[in-house]
Amino acid sequence: MAWEFRKVGPGENVAVEAQKDPFAAPKWAPPVWHMPEILVLLVNAVRVLVAVVVFTVRNIVPVSVLGGLGWLGYAYGWPAPALVVAAALFALGVWALADWPLFVAAVARPARAKWRYLAVYRRDWQPVLVTAGLTKMHKGREYLPSIKRVRCGPTADRVLVRMLKGQAPDAWERVAVNLAHGFGSELVRVRQGTRSRWSWVDGRPVRRTVPRPGSVWLEFVRKDALKVPLAALPLADDVDLEAVPVGVREDGRPWLLRLLGTHVLIAGATGSGKGSVLWSIVRAVLPWMFLGLVQVWAVDPKRMELSFGRRLFERYGRYSDDPNGGMVELLEEAAEDLNKRAAMFAGKRRSFLPSLEHPFRVIIVDELAFLTAYCPSRDLRKRAEQALAVLATQGRSVGYCLVGAQQDARKEVNNLRNLFPDRIALRLDESEQVDMVLGDGARDRGALADQISSIPEIGAGVGYIRLETTPDPVRVRAAYVCDADIDEMVALGTANFGEAA
């Protein structure tokens, strides 16, 4: 039986039985051309050569090292490359002993990233993505997103992925749990793809991070770096109001909170550690409180948390826990002084610098919802909202920072939350509250504040921040300032005040 190929569609052929009947109508069939064997061998040889060149370029360092060792072994025998390897290991050991952080950044982590790329991500990449539904089939061909880069940190891996054409980051966010189980990590966060770009600013090179369309960063968390409570941070000699240390980030770097030029909202359920954040802020600015460059005005509706430092606040700022109008009057005084500063600075300065005449003022409200929703007096609620609105809308440029803490994240409880550029979400009761605090899509980007442990030793002070400069949430933990630490701060402030007097 003879067979011929008949074209049935663009790029498609099917085998049909040839017609032997001389009276049958002629059938169209494309010509069949048999490729010579020598040409087949030549094409395959070119493919192999291209693959070798690509592999060599992508792995130029290990290929060069292995090639050099092989040449030494061929020219001088096996002792020569063995001696070179021993000398290299000895040099690496000396480097590790002399400067361990630099050794880790330059050698250990890149080597670990290469190993995890080969042993974990590349090995399981295709089956995990097929199961998660992130691949596409078209005309029998499978299209697979590609791994562009892998970076290893102390607790997490960052994998840069080139998505398929027409694919959006939302598709990866929806299957983050699948990816976490598929690659054996505790959780996965999807970040917008970025790349570094150098530019010249004021005659010097500056490295900036710009978006990278078509790519996403996958953060595979290997272990929880914030499981152990963090003791109170040591008192600093100086204060940087744009980078106040209050704890540690998940990647091991210090958590630096900005106070100058912004306002901070802290939301968390009972026992989530809001006091840790508040007292860490006070502890960080304490040196400038003693110098008179910073004042902390504390509003304490609960009369439990901030009352431990009442003497400190009264000597280096203000304090009120009076529910019958004292707290509202304190806020109104702050708003009135703010307006006086604005009139004084108008047309003379655009940025604020703390001074003895005009100190930087941090207005801390421990339970913001009491003043905006739960206060029995409607008149006091209205006055409190007006004063808080003035502080939140006009205070940044004249040296005021409003720090508010609340338990309920609903807008009807605090309709001023959108006036806080920097927000912190500690443990929350419901998943919907995460987006209420940090903004739409924050939970999909990895801010799982509703899954933080309620055990104080594990979850107190743990939360997520969403800064004004980036939409991606960052997991952090505030240092725990215990009663003994607060007593030490008060005693130190009292002693300094006595000496100054």
Side-chain angles (χ1 to χ4, degrees):
M1 180 182 294
W3 294 86
E4 65 182 13
F5 287 97
R6 179 169 58 86
K7 187 177 289 291
V8 296
E12 297 180 0
N13 293 310
V14 296
V16 297
E17 185 177 358
Q19 297 291 330
K20 296 182 179 181
D21 185 1
F23 299 100
K27 297 187 64 177
W28 176 88
V32 179
W33 179 71
H34 298 281
M35 182 179 294
E37 294 183 0
I38 185 64
L39 188 57
V40 174
L41 295 176
L42 182 60
V43 171
N44 291 333
V46 171
R47 289 179 177 176
V48 172
L49 181 60
V50 171
V52 170
V53 171
V54 172
F55 177 82
T56 303
V57 172
R58 290 182 176 178
N59 304 272
I60 187 65
V61 174
V63 169
S64 300
V65 171
L66 292 177
L69 292 176
W71 178 83
L72 286 175
Y74 175 79
Y76 302 100
W78 68 266
L83 183 61
V84 171
V85 172
L89 293 177
F90 177 77
L92 291 175
V94 173
W95 184 7
L97 293 176
D99 194 342
W100 176 251
L102 181 60
F103 176 81
V104 170
V107 178
R109 287 183 181 171
R112 185 176 186 180
K114 189 65 175 179
W115 166 254
R116 290 189 63 82
Y117 165 72
L118 296 174
V120 178
Y121 300 110
R122 184 176 178 180
R123 184 189 65 181
D124 298 331
W125 189 249
Q126 193 264 355
V128 172
L129 264 61
V130 169
T131 305
L134 295 173
T135 61
K136 296 296 181 181
M137 295 292 297
H138 180 68
K139 293 184 177 180
R141 181 178 177 182
E142 182 182 63
Y143 291 86
L144 187 70
S146 59
I147 301 177
K148 307 303 292 184
R149 189 178 306 159
V150 176
R151 294 177 179 174
C152 282
T155 61
D157 297 338
R158 287 172 56 87
V159 179
L160 180 63
V161 178
R162 170 66 68 179
M163 298 184 294
L164 298 178
K165 296 294 185 180
Q167 201 171 52
D170 295 347
W172 296 77
E173 294 172 356
R174 289 192 293 267
V175 296
V177 177
N178 305 57
L179 298 176
H181 286 282
F183 292 104
S185 62
E186 293 192 2
L187 59 95
V188 174
R189 303 190 187 97
V190 181
R191 308 294 195 192
Q192 180 183 6
T194 57
R195 59 184 173 184
S196 298
R197 176 177 295 176
W198 291 92
S199 60
W200 290 88
V201 178
D202 297 333
R204 58 187 181 89
V206 177
R207 188 177 183 181
R208 294 181 175 178
T209 301
V210 297
R212 187 170 185 167
S215 302
V216 291
W217 281 103
L218 303 180
E219 290 187 0
F220 293 90
V221 179
R222 301 190 306 268
K223 63 179 180 179
D224 187 1
L226 305 178
K227 186 177 296 186
V228 179
L230 180 66
L233 301 178
L235 293 174
D237 297 330
D238 199 5
V239 177
D240 184 1
L241 295 177
E242 294 185 355
V244 173
V246 294
V248 65
R249 294 169 45 152
E250 188 176 38
D251 57 7
R253 292 186 292 174
W255 173 19
L256 303 178
L257 184 64
R258 181 181 178 186
L259 297 181
L260 182 62
T262 189
H263 304 297
V264 183
L265 177 65
I266 308 167
T270 301
S272 60
K274 296 187 294 296
S276 298
V277 182
L278 297 178
W279 279 112
S280 294
I281 294 175
V282 175
R283 187 176 181 84
V285 301
L286 197 62
W288 275 19
M289 290 177 62
F290 297 157
L291 296 177
L293 298 176
V294 172
Q295 293 182 355
V296 176
W297 290 21
V299 179
D300 191 15
K302 293 195 302 184
R303 307 180 187 181
M304 292 297 295
E305 189 66 46
L306 300 179
S307 60
F308 278 82
R310 179 168 188 165
R311 289 189 298 160
L312 185 67
F313 299 137
E314 289 178 343
R315 287 187 172 179
Y316 298 98
R318 297 283 302 276
Y319 176 87
S320 178
D321 59 359
D322 181 15
N324 298 319
M327 295 182 291
V328 177
E329 291 176 0
L330 186 148
L331 296 175
E332 290 176 337
E333 289 181 20
E336 183 179 356
D337 180 79
L338 181 152
N339 290 324
K340 292 180 180 179
R341 284 192 183 184
M344 187 181 302
F345 296 162
K348 297 180 180 180
R349 63 171 71 174
R350 297 179 59 187
S351 58
F352 177 81
L353 293 176
S355 62
L356 295 177
E357 182 182 2
H358 302 291
F360 181 77
R361 286 185 177 147
V362 183
I363 312 298
I364 297 180
V365 183
D366 183 29
E367 186 52 61
L368 201 60
F370 176 83
L371 298 176
T372 59
Y374 302 143
C375 182
S377 174
R378 182 178 180 181
D379 179 64
L380 290 179
R381 291 200 307 269
K382 185 176 180 180
R383 289 168 53 191
E385 286 187 358
Q386 291 177 346
L388 290 170
V390 172
L391 292 171
T393 55
Q394 305 177 30
R396 297 199 293 173
S397 60
V398 294
Y400 273 81
C401 175
L402 180 61
V403 179
Q406 65 180 44
Q407 299 182 27
D408 199 335
R410 292 176 299 171
K411 197 174 185 64
E412 55 267 23
V413 175
N414 178 15
N415 57 7
L416 304 175
R417 70 185 185 197
N418 290 335
L419 300 179
F420 291 83
D422 294 344
R423 308 174 194 174
I424 304 171
L426 303 178
R427 178 174 55 83
L428 297 172
D429 295 328
E430 302 174 358
S431 59
E432 293 80 5
Q433 295 181 358
V434 179
D435 290 347
M436 294 180 186
V437 177
L438 299 179
D440 293 340
R443 193 179 187 280
D444 293 335
R445 293 188 177 96
L448 306 178
D450 56 303
Q451 297 183 8
I452 297 176
S453 175
S454 59
I455 303 175
E457 292 77 9
I458 299 177
V462 177
Y464 295 85
I465 59 173
R466 186 173 184 176
L467 303 179
E468 188 177 13
T469 56
T470 174
D472 293 330
V474 180
R475 190 166 180 262
V476 295
R477 182 162 194 170
Y480 175 59
V481 183
C482 63
D483 296 349
D485 296 323
I486 299 175
D487 293 338
E488 179 187 0
M489 294 164 55
V490 174
L492 186 60
T494 305
N496 286 348
F497 184 83
E499 292 173 3

